[in-house]
């Protein structure tokens, strides 16, 4: 059974209130204050996940691992609109991201998608993130550090106007910038032949411009889609969807780099 | 730049017709017949991806890597309804599957979700799949072999009525069986404390029964959702959704194993 | 051009603030206070719709007709969950409600769907609404009165356990009750042969029970559906869906009364 | 109980096969051939709806009224993409169409929305439809005639470039043309002050242009939406959505005519 490591992000779960606290052991130390007393954080290291821990007042909490999903949804510090798990999940599958891959992205945002890339490429892989706003870089790196993923991410603090340093090296390339159609040729240059480009586009106008831009370059297999996540209430006697749901985060666009010329109509 | 290996699954792309052929070099050999002449498959090994290759009649094809997404959608041999990429992508993120993990599932179906698990756990990880129908096992293993993922998958040809061999060892556990509510206790026993159970449920009746069953066991964080994927036409002058879309594949249910007792109202 | 009548429900629109006030002239009288001064309500009667009216401080408002849609969304007093326009619109079309029809429903709720029925059957038609809770009847009738539709609605203050008074007379019949499957035989008796039954069902469990009940009676053409309304932001430079939307109001079920026996498998 | 009239559109329902035949008595006469023998159509007139009728071979059919919904979905002859009931239903509610109203539209298409307007305005109301293509007019009028609604519809065989004849007379105005943004001023002139304009827009590009055009005119309350209809399988033991659904028909846009000037930011 897995034991807590000093750099882990853990959950302290109060079973009476069905309430969770997420704690980054690497950045938080000393006593942790809950509604029902204090817990000495150092005492958690080495305990098996699932253990009961008690506050100094004797109240029981459970020690649980924090998933990347929970970290993104509840703990990530946001300076920007984040890329949500429903979208991030489909993006990594469509881009075919695997352990060992080199993934290139711009910009870093708050680091949510960066974290998903970093978790999936594993210790052998690498994420290179281009971002020109220093405050975003600082915040995203702080987020990544708190989830133990910062060492797989290299940040380049600059605009992609000058292009990416990678030349036909990226196993996957993702653009989350305001005017992605300006950088499609740079993205093309950085990607390995045959590999996938992904683009996040909040508005239909942006999709239209990007589709126009793609026609000028040897990209094939262009797909535009949106992912809708609809949650249900979990009372078995009254099974029904939640009352409200997110209606839109962004359109997702994917295309594959073809080495060489496209013929006319493709 | 990556070169083709003898066990790769590759795409031969006809740029004039915008048409793709998927070929498993490990299982197919000799000459490959296209509409425009033959290609000697052995000659592809060692070529960089993106290369032009010519048929014996001089027609140009491009050599592209086959993504897992394409393999599942277009090449996987199906004996069962498969778990689609839109669902598989969200499942692996919610179950927090990472390189090195041990994932346990039942049944294997046609191996689509198994392949996604196997790709993500990487060479250090492992997928254990329980399946009692021999023809499904054969077909799924053949599918996995053709995509180079079979060595990360161990199949146990038996019913899960007797339970899983893993005892608090699974980093993630997934059930795709007709009556999952009958096996929730076995799933509970196999999972590491704090880790996630996932269940695929085609009908509302199945969701209702599973939610009832979960109430009897120390599972928390129960979520039921569905993922809808809506594609758009890619003509920039007339941007609009496709005319039709899949309306339903299955409901997805997730829950987290709590070690110990749940209190009354949780 | 239409002129305001003494019983109209009108809108006073402030063009500077893009803000609307809905006023029922039949039930409100005297001076109407806006943020920018008072308007004498009696002075509005006889004015053509579209007219400018000024407060005693000289600020301009526009006099607009209030649509039934706006009345339901913004002015109806709600004691219950209402049936939303997106659902009401589809219900009346599927039930084939026309000018002159007799529509029977139970219960009355807050009168939203009743109002839509009443508007469409016109002055020659009639809505009969069965409702056992007196406070709902009072509120719904007050709502209908304020929109000038009460004289087309007859309320029967009683449970439908005893059945409907109408015998093969209803052109359409709608059930919005907790356990509609208990009253399908009464609904059947009240409907004209060949006409449509509609049922509102918030949960999947209720749909399942109602589908079971329908199998015991000569109903055909059973349809279950849901209507999703997704709104878009109206900035042309950044066209995109709203961030959030209603995910669920209710499942809608429709069936047609067949006079006589159904054969086995229908 | 209602009896069949000589101009009715009726359904002959085969209970053994759960199969329906739609017959327009006004335009079809003589014998009607089913798979199980003939039925003399004149003999149906005067029978109560719901009656059993027998073929000359003695097989039982049921005589049912045909709803407008069925007529549009299964019997309307289509020369164009039609406006589907899910959209038509929401359009008439948002445009506040009532018995007695004057509704103006362009173009007529195959007459599906025209039929819904005509049914709802009733015998006291009127629909004026502008259409320049003669073959569309012929087909739509033939459709309307077969459903007994043609006498409420006046067709003007011409382009709306020259404008509508109605001056502040239309209770509702609907545009289903390729470039509606070119005619917004004509639509504005035809509408009564305070009443609603509706526009059908298949593509996002068209929505964007129309939104731009609306900014130049005194329209308020602009709404853009789409209506999604998701059907469910009706087997109570396996309740679940259908496998596929329409993903898109068109975006719907609504706006209200304000008499006078809009202030800057509205």
């Amino acid at each position: 059974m897995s034991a807590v490591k000093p750099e882990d992000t853990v959950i302290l779960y109060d079973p009476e209130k069905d309430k969770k606290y997420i704690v980054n052991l690497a950045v938080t130390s000393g006593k942790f204050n809950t509604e029902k007393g204090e817990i000495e954080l150092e005492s958690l290291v080495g305990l098996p996940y699932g253990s009961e821990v008690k506050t100094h007042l004797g109240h029981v909490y459970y020690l649980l691992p924090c998933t990347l999903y929970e970290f993104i949804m509840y703990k990530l510090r946001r300076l920007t609109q984040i890329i949500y798990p429903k979208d991030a999940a489909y993006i990594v599958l469509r881009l075919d991201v695997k352990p060992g891959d080199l993934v290139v992205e711009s910009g870093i945002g708050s680091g949510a998608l960066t974290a998903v890339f970093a978790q999936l490429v594993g210790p052998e892989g690498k994420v290179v993130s281009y971002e020109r706003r220093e405050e975003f870089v600082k915040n995203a790196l702080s987020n990544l550090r708190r989830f133990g993923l910062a060492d797989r991410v290299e940040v380049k603090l600059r605009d992609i106007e000058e292009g990416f340093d990678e030349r036909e090296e990226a196993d996957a390339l993702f653009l989350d910038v305001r005017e992605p159609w300006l950088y499609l040729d740079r993205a093309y240059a950085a990607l390995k032949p045959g590999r996938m480009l992904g683009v996040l586009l909040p508005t239909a106008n942006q999709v239209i411009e990007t589709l126009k831009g793609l026609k000028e370059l040897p990209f094939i297999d262009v797909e535009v889609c949106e992912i809708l996540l609809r949650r249900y209430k979990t009372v078995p006697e009254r099974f029904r969807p939640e009352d409200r749901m997110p209606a839109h985060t962004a359109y997702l666009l994917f295309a594959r780099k073809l080495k060489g010329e496209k013929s006319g109509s493709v």
Side-chain angles (χ1 to χ4, degrees), chain A:
Chain A
M1 211 156 16
S2 324
V4 174
K5 294 190 290 290
E7 71 274 17
D8 278 7
T9 295
V10 303
I11 289 176
L12 289 164
Y13 173 74
D14 175 348
E16 279 171 20
K17 300 210 166 179
D18 190 21
K19 194 165 171 183
K20 296 186 277 187
Y21 301 87
I22 304 182
V23 188
N24 312 114
L25 298 184
V27 296
T28 309
S29 58
K31 292 187 192 329
F32 185 76
N33 290 296
T34 74
E35 293 173 16
K36 298 173 176 173
E38 300 167 356
I39 292 171
E40 187 67 54
L41 288 176
E42 283 95 280
S43 72
L44 303 180
V45 176
L47 290 181
Y49 276 110
S51 299
E52 268 185 43
V53 292
K54 285 186 178 161
T55 67
H56 77 292
L57 299 175
H59 290 284
V60 170
Y61 280 69
Y62 288 98
L63 186 57
L64 306 175
C66 178
T67 61
L68 179 53
Y69 172 87
E70 289 168 300
F71 181 73
I72 291 172
M73 294 299 278
Y74 309 120
K75 193 69 181 175
L76 193 100
R77 189 171 159 246
R78 303 178 185 189
L79 291 188
T80 62
Q81 177 68 20
I82 68 161
I83 298 179
Y84 281 91
K86 70 177 179 73
D87 293 323
Y90 193 70
I91 290 166
V92 294
L93 186 59
R94 280 300 265 119
L95 297 187
D96 211 36
V97 174
K98 295 181 287 294
D101 274 0
L102 169 65
V103 178
V104 176
E105 67 164 16
S106 178
I108 203 164
S110 299
L113 180 61
T114 319
V116 177
F117 283 144
Q119 171 147 307
L120 293 190
V121 300
E124 327 278 297
K126 189 172 156 189
V127 181
V128 181
S129 188
Y130 290 74
E131 173 61 62
R132 59 178 173 77
R133 281 150 300 187
E134 200 166 356
E135 76 274 26
F136 288 1
V137 169
K138 270 191 181 164
N139 178 62
L141 281 178
S142 153
N143 280 328
L144 291 162
R145 213 171 290 124
R146 286 153 70 209
F147 205 69
L149 292 168
D151 54 344
R152 300 173 188 177
V153 180
E154 178 186 353
V155 177
K156 304 208 172 182
L157 184 65
R158 64 167 212 248
D159 206 288
I160 55 170
E161 180 119 28
E162 313 137 49
F164 298 95
D165 295 332
E166 296 72 23
R167 312 298 299 176
E168 306 219 321
E169 287 171 88
D171 291 298
L173 195 143
F174 195 78
L175 292 178
D176 175 15
V177 297
R178 189 177 302 245
E179 301 181 304
W181 54 91
L182 300 179
Y183 310 107
L184 295 174
D185 53 348
R186 281 94 162 159
Y188 181 88
L191 266 174
K192 284 185 185 167
R195 304 298 310 224
M196 302 293 294
L197 165 72
V199 190
L200 186 101
L201 300 154
T203 72
N205 310 63
Q206 290 171 305
V207 179
I208 291 167
E209 290 309 309
T210 305
L211 287 173
K212 284 181 194 165
L214 282 172
K215 286 189 149 184
E216 307 302 313
L217 289 163
F219 279 105
I220 59 169
D221 292 349
V222 179
E223 177 185 324
V224 177
C225 67
E226 53 181 338
I227 302 285
L228 293 160
L229 170 68
R230 193 189 197 193
R231 289 210 178 79
Y232 284 72
K233 298 188 180 183
T234 56
V235 181
E237 294 77 22
R238 290 186 296 283
F239 182 57
R240 47 162 293 179
E242 296 276 356
D243 295 314
R244 292 185 66 75
M245 64 185 276
H248 185 67
T249 50
Y251 301 102
L252 303 179
L253 182 150
F254 302 101
R256 180 201 294 264
K257 170 179 175 167
L258 187 68
K259 176 89 174 191
E261 296 297 310
K262 274 200 297 191
S263 64
S265 65
V266 174

